[in-house]
Amino acid sequence: MSAHSQITILQYNMHISKDKVMAPFFRDRTNDNYSVIAVQEPWINSHNPELITTHHSNTAHYELFFPTGANPHTCFFINKEIPVQNWTIVQHSPDLISLCLEHKELEETKHLWIHNIYRHESDNNHYNTSALWETALQAPGEHITVGDFNAHHPLWGGDIEPDSAGEQVLQTIDRFGLSSLLETGTITWEKGQSKTTIDLVLATPEAASRMITCQVHQQAHQDSDHLPIMTTLQLNIPKTQQVTRKNWALLNEKRFLEFLSQHLQQTPPELRNRQDVENILTHITEVLQQAIAETVPNINITKWSQPGFTQECKDHIQETKRLQWVWQRERTEEAWEEYKRARNNKGRFIKAQLRQIHQDSVEKASQDPSGLWKLAKWAKNRGNTRQGFTPAIQRPDGTIAQDPGEKAKLLADSFPKPPEANLEDIQDFNYEAHHNRMRAYRNHNLNLPPDDKDPFCPPITPREFQKALLGAKAGKAPGNTGIPNQVLHLALGALQPLLLPAMDFCLRHGIHPNNWKTSITITLRKTGKDDYTKPKSYWPIALLDTIGKIMESIIAIRISYWVEHYHLLPMDHIGGRKMRGVEHALHLLMERIHSIISSRTTTRKAKVASLLMLDVSGAFDNVSHERLLHNLKKHQIPTQVLDWIKDFLQHRKTVIKLPELTSTEMDTPTGIPQGSPLSPILYLFYNADVIEELSNGGQTMGWIDDVGLLVEGDSAEANCQKIENMLGTAYQWADQHASVFAPEKFAITHFCKDKKQDLTAKLHTQGITVEGNQGTWHTPGQ
């Protein structure tokens, strides 16, 4: 199979039908090129009792394996392009057969098991298929199971009550670490008005990481009540190096601090230029890395590594395996009883351990509000696995790239490329006159004293430095230096005499050192995508230098203080600001809607409130540096900070890190680096103008890169017309700021207490029709 870089598995329950399903399927030449066809409920030709078989009209392309025994419910059709010496078949029962594909990866022999299963609703009455399946999953290699499970559970079937069969399947999933490759809720069975999910694709972690596509394949569908499913897997993957990580729990703090005291420069150097700063930062980074190497042991990460899987769990597994070998060798009743007792004890212990891990996670999350969100995210994505490699990536011409270096480049080329910003309005801009108008507005509207001062930028204080360093959360992934925040916390006393003067020098001279400008970009699979060969199916995440983020945090805290103390941003810009959260935004929005719908028009009719949520595509990636610096200067950010931000944005680089490769450095000349503590507050200044300008025609509310527009009128139709007129202002702002609104993602909701009002009015903008939604409103106390 060395010539095969991918295999396609088509699974299809053919409803015991020859004429309606199997015959038309195999006569369709578009069905000639699957690697493996796994059939459930094939039509059975029983005219010859000694040779029971099924319909097979495509002998030119496929080898048939049909199980022996009474009433088989599974069979395989294997493409003849796969050499016979590279596959073997194991029959466990007529309802469960396994195909083992052998292939090479860098001269290493690999085995991929494809289990074809038909599980009856009353499993114990038919060969005890569940037990046979678990035995099959124990074979060495990677495993993918396809078939008709006749089992329901929300993990794969959406909002369907689990049945006993679903619970039994789920136990096997948990026991072997399987994940469902189909998107949750995918309909696989349809009959009349009834729809459900009973055909599944389950894979062990390494096999799941090979997935390129897994989806219902309507092109192959014939007249069966089941839908065919096609799964494409990547084979012949370049071998990756063994992954290691540091066991921070075993950090020897005493030795670590002793190492720093012996090797870190004791007195701050004289800083005269950028190179002096770069030199001292390089020295600090190298010493910290050496100290980590000396005092923190490594943990090897293998495919068997499981969080919370204690040594006692491993001991139970080893003992069970030992007794299994004894029973297989001796085949005595006594050996069987000992093996069965050990197997049951192992299952009970691991189940209790997993339950305890889950309970500990919930208890820990309940102590931290943000932890609850993380726990909910984990539960939602429980079935997803992070890929251990990157599948082949499509080139623009549709051909496939296999080389890791080319895959990294294709992913980088797919990252957002912002349009050019229209900067005509900032030519010869009179900043002094604008600042005078801002002061007059603040003094008049906020009752500030006439001598209210502008923001100023003092030297960085030790308290600021300590607050920023200790405020960095432990456990966050570090950047390219590999120095995590928990190490910086421990080293605070040793680092402050060197880092604080260097950071203050950077602020006073507008320097953001090159040491801090290189990030690591990792690519994560976007959930719900049906083709992972497309570059747009991946989400880039940038990991920034942790020491550099301390400096960024100091600047972010200062700007946040100036925003609140000197009222530099619209009051309706809520997200990313001190003492303002989601609850505050929701209460304010509800209060405004209630105020509108409780009022009356001149004809005593109830007013209608219409809320439009605007969506900006790739907001952070599309930031124009020139426009951002103009907005900051316009809002009176001190010159020292402006110079530093300008250098912070320039000459940034990144490396693309794939599981099998880390690319060379490449430029990232646009946008704001996501993941920086500074990014949210900078974007508030970037879109402040659209918040202010849209407020002239209605009430606005901003949440970092999201904008809500609330208008009132006599009808939903009139409100839509008003919003359509106002959107011209939003599109003008987008043109000036190199931003792109996505009208197809806009959402408009109408509110009114009068049930007779028509609240289905649609919004029309840029050739897109936004359907109107009727908002529900309950008066407090009802």
Side-chain angles (χ1 to χ4, degrees):
M1 285 187 65
S2 58
H4 294 254
S5 60
Q6 298 178 1
I7 65 164
T8 54
I9 306 167
L10 185 84
Q11 65 187 88
Y12 197 13
N13 184 314
M14 294 194 172
H15 198 46
I16 322 178
S17 172
K18 173 188 175 183
D19 296 333
K20 291 184 178 181
V21 183
M22 294 193 74
F25 174 88
F26 282 109
R27 283 164 174 77
D28 185 346
R29 296 281 73 88
T30 61
N31 294 326
D32 288 349
N33 298 317
Y34 304 112
S35 306
V36 176
I37 301 173
V39 174
Q40 300 86 45
E41 291 196 287
W43 172 78
I44 298 175
N45 185 348
S46 57
H47 292 294
N48 183 354
E50 296 180 0
L51 184 61
I52 297 176
T53 186
T54 187
H55 175 77
H56 183 19
S57 59
N58 198 345
T59 56
H61 290 90
Y62 293 104
E63 294 279 358
L64 168 65
F65 177 82
F66 198 76
T68 58
N71 197 26
H73 284 81
T74 58
C75 67
F76 275 124
F77 292 84
I78 304 160
N79 198 302
K80 289 188 174 181
E81 290 186 358
I82 303 175
V84 174
Q85 63 268 24
N86 288 107
W87 58 267
T88 55
I89 293 283
V90 175
Q91 176 180 330
H92 308 278
S93 78
D95 293 342
L96 175 64
I97 54 177
S98 299
L99 168 65
C100 181
L101 295 176
E102 181 180 292
H103 61 105
K104 294 283 187 179
E105 289 183 354
L106 294 182
E107 304 307 316
E108 181 182 0
T109 300
K110 295 270 191 174
H111 294 92
L112 174 67
W113 288 89
I114 303 171
H115 306 292
N116 184 5
I117 189 172
Y118 179 87
R119 190 184 181 284
H120 294 258
E121 293 180 18
S122 180
D123 184 44
N124 291 330
N125 295 333
H126 296 79
Y127 308 112
N128 197 6
T129 306
S130 294
L132 294 173
W133 178 36
E134 291 198 3
T135 300
L137 289 171
Q138 296 175 19
E142 305 164 31
H143 298 260
I144 182 167
T145 304
V146 302
D148 182 355
F149 284 74
N150 282 306
H152 296 93
H153 197 279
L155 179 66
W156 56 81
D159 298 326
I160 298 176
E161 288 295 322
D163 52 21
S164 58
E167 293 293 346
Q168 191 172 9
V169 172
L170 186 62
Q171 289 177 15
T172 304
I173 288 175
D174 287 340
R175 192 169 295 128
F176 290 90
L178 306 179
S179 60
S180 175
L181 301 191
L182 275 176
E183 185 177 357
T184 300
T186 300
I187 299 301
T188 65
W189 181 89
E190 293 180 339
K191 190 172 184 179
Q193 298 299 314
S194 301
K195 298 180 180 181
T196 189
T197 304
I198 53 177
D199 302 278
L200 306 179
V201 186
L202 305 174
T204 54
E206 193 169 355
S209 73
R210 296 183 181 275
M211 184 189 80
I212 298 174
T213 62
C214 184
Q215 58 188 316
V216 168
H217 191 53
Q218 289 284 0
Q219 295 91 320
H221 190 36
Q222 302 295 334
D223 194 18
S224 173
D225 50 6
H226 294 257
L227 299 177
I229 299 167
M230 187 173 73
T231 303
T232 307
L233 303 178
Q234 178 84 36
L235 295 185
N236 304 321
I237 306 155
K239 188 174 182 180
T240 57
Q241 294 180 345
Q242 186 180 36
V243 179
T244 62
R245 65 174 174 84
K246 291 294 182 181
N247 188 349
W248 299 107
L250 299 181
L251 167 63
N252 189 320
E253 296 185 2
K254 182 179 179 181
R255 282 183 55 205
F256 178 82
L257 293 175
E258 287 176 353
F259 190 97
L260 293 188
S261 65
Q262 294 170 6
H263 295 85
L264 265 184
Q265 188 172 322
Q266 296 300 310
T267 57
E270 181 182 358
L271 300 175
R272 294 156 298 187
N273 51 43
R274 176 187 288 270
Q275 190 57 51
D276 290 340
V277 175
E278 302 279 7
N279 292 340
I280 189 62
L281 292 176
T282 299
H283 167 69
I284 292 171
T285 299
E286 289 177 351
V287 172
L288 285 173
Q289 290 172 331
Q290 293 167 8
I292 291 171
E294 290 286 335
T295 62
V296 186
N298 289 332
I299 295 178
N300 291 328
I301 305 300
T302 71
K303 63 182 180 181
W304 308 111
S305 300
Q306 294 288 338
F309 216 68
T310 63
Q311 184 60 46
E312 199 168 356
C313 292
K314 297 174 184 177
D315 291 342
H316 274 281
I317 292 173
Q318 291 298 326
E319 177 65 8
T320 302
K321 286 183 178 179
R322 185 186 68 81
L323 292 173
Q324 183 184 29
W325 295 332
V326 171
W327 172 72
Q328 289 175 339
R329 184 177 63 249
E330 298 180 358
R331 294 290 177 172
T332 64
E333 185 68 26
E334 183 180 358
W336 167 253
E337 290 298 328
E338 286 194 31
Y339 163 59
K340 186 169 68 171
R341 190 181 306 110
R343 184 185 63 185
N344 293 340
N345 288 339
K346 178 199 71 173
R348 284 192 292 268
F349 183 85
I350 292 177
K351 183 177 180 180
Q353 180 69 12
L354 294 175
R355 186 188 301 115
Q356 186 62 47
I357 293 169
H358 179 72
Q359 291 173 351
D360 292 344
S361 299
V362 173
E363 183 177 355
K364 182 179 179 181
S366 65
Q367 299 171 2
D368 177 12
S370 65
L372 293 174
W373 293 104
K374 294 176 182 177
L375 194 65
K377 184 177 180 181
W378 167 83
K380 181 180 179 181
N381 298 307
R382 185 184 178 194
N384 295 335
T385 59
R386 182 175 174 182
Q387 68 270 26
F389 77 106
T390 306
I393 299 294
Q394 283 187 18
R395 302 184 182 97
D397 62 3
T399 58
I400 295 296
Q402 301 279 2
D403 178 69
E406 187 178 2
K407 288 191 286 187
K409 186 178 185 303
L410 289 170
L411 289 169
D413 290 343
S414 72
F415 296 164
K417 303 295 188 298
E420 290 291 328
N422 184 347
L423 304 176
E424 294 178 1
D425 61 306
I426 71 175
Q427 304 298 326
D428 303 319
F429 189 87
N430 191 332
Y431 292 101
E432 185 175 351
H434 182 80
H435 293 167
N436 289 334
R437 287 195 297 272
M438 283 188 65
R439 294 187 198 99
Y441 174 84
R442 293 201 309 261
N443 295 340
H444 175 73
N445 290 280
L446 302 173
N447 298 318
L448 298 177
D451 60 347
D452 186 43
K453 298 178 181 178
D454 291 336
F456 70 100
C457 191
I460 298 175
T461 65
R463 186 173 180 275
E464 279 184 290
F465 176 82
Q466 294 166 12
K467 181 179 179 181
L469 189 148
L470 296 176
K473 290 185 179 180
K476 293 286 186 178
N480 61 335
T481 61
I483 301 172
N485 289 327
Q486 55 264 42
V487 166
L488 300 180
H489 295 171
L490 180 61
L492 171 62
L495 295 178
Q496 182 169 319
L498 300 178
L499 269 182
L500 178 54
M503 290 182 176
D504 190 62
F505 182 89
C506 290
L507 177 58
R508 286 186 286 109
H509 294 84
I511 296 172
H512 189 70
N514 294 329
N515 304 56
W516 298 340
K517 290 186 178 183
T518 299
S519 64
I520 294 176
T521 298
I522 60 175
T523 55
L524 303 180
R525 293 182 178 185
K526 295 179 181 178
T527 57
K529 296 296 181 180
D530 57 11
D531 188 350
Y532 288 101
T533 65
K534 296 179 179 178
K536 292 293 184 181
S537 297
Y538 295 84
W539 187 263
I541 303 293
L543 305 179
L544 307 178
D545 186 275
T546 48
I547 300 177
K549 288 172 73 172
I550 298 171
M551 180 75 181
E552 296 161 29
S553 182
I554 291 170
I555 303 298
I557 292 171
R558 286 195 171 195
I559 295 178
S560 296
Y561 170 78
W562 294 330
V563 165
E564 307 305 333
H565 187 76
Y566 299 103
H567 308 282
L568 303 184
L569 288 175
M571 296 297 291
D572 293 329
H573 219 330
I574 296 176
R577 296 175 66 171
K578 293 293 183 183
M579 306 302 292
R580 305 186 189 200
V582 177
E583 297 86 352
H584 179 271
L586 290 175
H587 280 297
L588 181 59
L589 184 60
M590 290 172 61
E591 181 182 332
R592 289 178 174 178
I593 294 173
H594 183 262
S595 176
I596 293 173
I597 65 177
S598 297
S599 60
R600 296 281 176 175
T601 67
T602 55
T603 59
R604 304 301 299 165
K605 278 187 172 183
K607 283 191 174 181
V608 177
S610 298
L611 175 66
L612 175 69
M613 301 303 297
L614 290 83
D615 184 272
V616 180
S617 298
F620 284 71
D621 297 310
N622 289 342
V623 166
S624 160
H625 294 170
E626 294 86 351
R627 176 64 66 176
L628 173 61
L629 293 168
H630 164 73
N631 286 6
L632 291 168
K633 186 174 182 179
K634 188 171 67 171
H635 286 85
Q636 297 176 273
I637 297 301
T639 302
Q640 283 184 339
V641 175
L642 284 175
D643 292 341
W644 180 87
I645 291 175
K646 182 178 181 180
D647 197 52
F648 164 75
L649 296 171
Q650 291 178 341
H651 310 302
R652 300 195 69 90
K653 298 180 181 295
T654 193
V655 296
I656 309 295
K657 188 170 185 178
L658 307 180
E660 64 270 34
L661 172 88
T662 298
S663 74
T664 57
E665 288 185 358
M666 52 188 71
D667 294 330
T668 54
T670 58
I672 303 174
Q674 295 192 49
S676 168
L678 194 57
S679 297
I681 192 68
L682 289 184
Y683 199 83
L684 297 189
F685 283 91
Y686 197 68
N687 71 350
D689 288 351
V690 74
I691 301 291
E692 292 178 334
E693 292 167 7
L694 288 177
S695 64
N696 294 328
Q699 301 181 59
T700 54
M701 181 177 294
W703 186 272
I704 306 182
D705 57 336
D706 294 320
V707 178
L709 175 59
L710 181 66
V711 300
E712 60 180 283
D714 297 344
S715 67
E717 190 71 36
N719 287 352
C720 284
Q721 185 61 54
K722 185 183 295 185
I723 291 173
E724 288 173 15
N725 296 335
M726 294 171 64
L727 283 176
T729 300
Y731 293 132
Q732 182 181 2
W733 171 87
D735 177 61
Q736 293 175 337
H737 288 73
S739 295
V740 180
F741 282 108
E744 65 277 7
K745 296 183 180 179
F746 285 3
I748 187 166
T749 307
H750 306 293
F751 300 86
C752 185
K753 287 187 174 181
D754 185 354
K755 296 182 179 179
K756 296 180 181 180
Q757 279 275 13
D758 180 10
L759 301 181
T760 61
K762 302 176 182 179
L763 182 73
H764 303 280
T765 177
Q766 293 194 332
I768 300 293
T769 298
V770 183
E771 299 289 337
N773 301 304
Q774 180 174 340
T776 57
W777 187 268
H778 299 282
T779 303
Q782 291 186 343

